[in-house]
Structures are given as C-alpha cells and as structure tokens.
C-alpha cells in the first residue's frame, strides 16, 4: 500500500494568508522528498525538494520542513495567491527503488 | 525537446480495443516513468526505465499493460483489451537519473474507455 499520505484532503485559505499543507510518510529509509503542484488539466509541476540530511529548505514563497523523528513533511506557502490554487502532492523516494511514491494530494483553494 | 511531450492528449476507445500512448522525454534524461492518475486520486506508479537496465514493471496492474522504450528515448505504453477501469490520465515523466532528482511530467493522456 501507499506509504505517503496527507492529513487534510482539502484546504481553503484567504488570499494573502499563509498556507500549510501536511504530509506523513511511513518509510524511514526515504532519503528524498518532493512537493508537486498540479493545476487542472496539467501534469504535476515540481515545486521544491529536500533531502533527508536537511530539516528545512526555502524557495520563493515556499518552505519545506522535514521532521524525520515523526516522519512528517510540510509545505508552507507565504502570502497565498489565487494562482496557488491547485492540488499539492508530496512524494518520497524510499531509497531502494528508483520511482517516487506519491500521496493522494491536498486541494488548495484560495479565496479572493 | 524543452519538456516532456505526450500524445495523444485525449483518447476515447471502445472496450476491448488496444491503445498505445506515447511519451517523448526530455533529451538527455536517462530515467523515464509512467504513472496513472484516476479522477481525483493520487499518482499510481506503473513502470520505469533507467538507461539500458531492465525496466521496473512492478507497478503494472495486469498483463494487459506493457511498455517499451526504444533507443533510450521515446516510450510507448500499450494497454491491450481495454476495460472501463483503465479510464484515467496516464502521465509520463523523465529525470536526469532515477531516484534522487525531481521528475518533469508531461501533461498526460486522458484515456476514456466506453
């Protein structure tokens, strides 16, 4: 079965607020994690990644936090904009195989 | 090319017919992946190719599904004797090497079996 899952299937936020999307993973051997954004009718788009030797990584308006103790991953989006509305997937590489394992996704809706 | 290209973008087929879905990865990417995404669901791994190594077929749901990659570039996913439960978006992705790099996805092929 899937080892990656999400705490919240849907998230609605006000434009300008910060968003936090959470993800739990179960494979302690995973050494690489990625967040993807998927807009309607499009393929997933890479947002940010993090390796297991880090606990935080920042990009433009996005931050990924990794807590290996509780096997938790989160994506923080600062000053959420309508263009951020999409489904967000976390994915992990368990280390023993080449393919990523994806969670079911969280739908982020941004209210103007 | 600049990105991963998939064709066709949409395919409607009758139950029992065979279909072929094509993926053109980014030039120079040695790893190529196929995933399936049912409506409102996550991505289900199907198969991946890494260089000249034997493909990892562990995600293929049945023997009606097969894939090949010619010359280390273009890949074709074939579904024989399609069933209605095969209806989904089939996504292809490529990466520089497998494992530790993010994928670049194509826009997918939406397959509808009627």
């Amino acid at each position: 079965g899937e080892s990656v899952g999400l705490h919240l299937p849907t998230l609605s936020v006000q434009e300008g607020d910060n968003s936090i999307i959470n993800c739990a993973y179960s494979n302690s051997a995973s050494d690489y994690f990625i967040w993807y954004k998927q807009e309607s009718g499009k393929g997933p788009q890479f947002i940010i990644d993090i390796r297991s030797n880090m606990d935080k990584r920042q990009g433009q308006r996005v931050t990924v936090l990794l807590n290996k103790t509780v096997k938790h991953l989160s994506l923080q989006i600062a000053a959420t904009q309508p263009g951020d509305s999409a489904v967000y997937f976390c994915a992990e590489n368990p280390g023993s195989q080449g393919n990523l394992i994806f969670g079911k996704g969280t739908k982020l809706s941004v209210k103007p | 090319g600049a990105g991963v290209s998939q064709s066709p973008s949409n395919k409607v087929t009758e139950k029992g017919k065979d279909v072929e879905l094509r993926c053109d990865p980014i030039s120079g990417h040695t790893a190529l992946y196929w995933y399936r995404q049912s409506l409102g669901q996550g991505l289900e791994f199907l198969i991946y190719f890494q260089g000249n190594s034997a493909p990892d077929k562990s995600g293929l749901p049945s023997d009606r599904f097969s894939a090949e990659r010619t010359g280390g570039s273009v890949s074709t996913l074939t579904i024989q004797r399609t069933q209605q439960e095969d209806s989904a978006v089939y996504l292809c992705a490529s990466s520089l090497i497998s494992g530790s790099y993010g994928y670049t996805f194509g826009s997918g092929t939406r397959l509808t079996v009627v």
Side-chain angles (χ1 to χ4, degrees):
Chain A
E2 287 186 66
S3 68
V4 177
L6 292 170
H7 295 306
L8 296 173
T10 60
L11 179 64
S12 183
V13 300
Q14 202 71 39
E15 181 178 359
D17 287 351
N18 297 333
S19 303
I20 300 176
I21 301 172
N22 296 303
C23 177
Y25 66 95
S26 59
N27 194 325
S28 57
S30 292
D31 58 4
Y32 180 59
F33 305 87
I34 310 176
W35 280 100
Y36 283 90
K37 172 187 180 183
Q38 186 175 30
E39 296 174 285
S40 181
K42 298 183 180 179
Q45 179 185 7
F46 174 94
I47 301 174
I48 192 168
D49 60 0
I50 189 168
R51 299 189 186 278
S52 59
N53 60 350
M54 303 171 68
D55 53 21
K56 181 179 180 179
R57 189 163 188 224
Q58 288 185 291
Q60 187 176 18
R61 282 200 307 117
V62 295
T63 301
V64 55
L65 298 177
L66 175 62
N67 185 331
K68 294 182 288 293
T69 301
V70 295
K71 293 183 216 162
H72 185 267
L73 192 69
S74 68
L75 176 70
Q76 300 178 358
I77 304 174
T80 314
Q81 302 169 0
D84 295 326
S85 294
V87 177
Y88 290 80
F89 293 95
C90 62
E92 64 174 318
N93 182 290
S96 62
Q97 56 196 81
N99 60 291
L100 295 174
I101 298 174
F102 287 80
K104 285 185 165 45
T106 292
K107 182 177 181 179
L108 176 65
S109 296
V110 182
K111 297 176 287 186
Chain B
V4 177
S5 178
Q6 291 189 246
S7 61
S9 55
N10 281 284
K11 176 72 176 179
V12 180
T13 189
E14 292 181 352
K15 177 181 173 181
K17 294 284 180 68
D18 298 351
V19 295
E20 286 189 351
L21 313 179
R22 177 187 168 105
C23 174
D24 251 301
I26 292 174
S27 178
H29 279 192
T30 63
L32 184 148
Y33 310 82
W34 284 99
Y35 282 79
R36 177 168 71 174
Q37 186 175 31
S38 300
L39 187 63
Q41 299 296 310
L43 280 71
E44 175 189 6
F45 166 71
L46 297 177
I47 185 172
Y48 95 91
F49 300 85
Q50 171 59 60
N52 296 320
S53 302
D56 178 347
K57 304 178 182 180
S58 60
L60 295 178
S62 77
D63 59 8
R64 296 186 295 105
F65 288 72
S66 63
E68 62 178 21
R69 188 179 185 190
T70 54
S73 181
V74 172
S75 177
T76 302
L77 177 69
T78 301
I79 309 173
Q80 296 178 307
R81 305 182 301 281
T82 51
Q83 304 294 315
Q84 287 186 329
E85 61 263 28
D86 299 334
S87 297
V89 175
Y90 289 81
L91 290 160
C92 175
S94 70
S95 68
L96 199 56
I97 61 172
S98 68
S100 298
Y101 292 86
Y103 301 172
T104 301
F105 279 90
S107 294
T109 294
R110 179 175 297 278
L111 176 66
T112 303
V113 182
V114 297

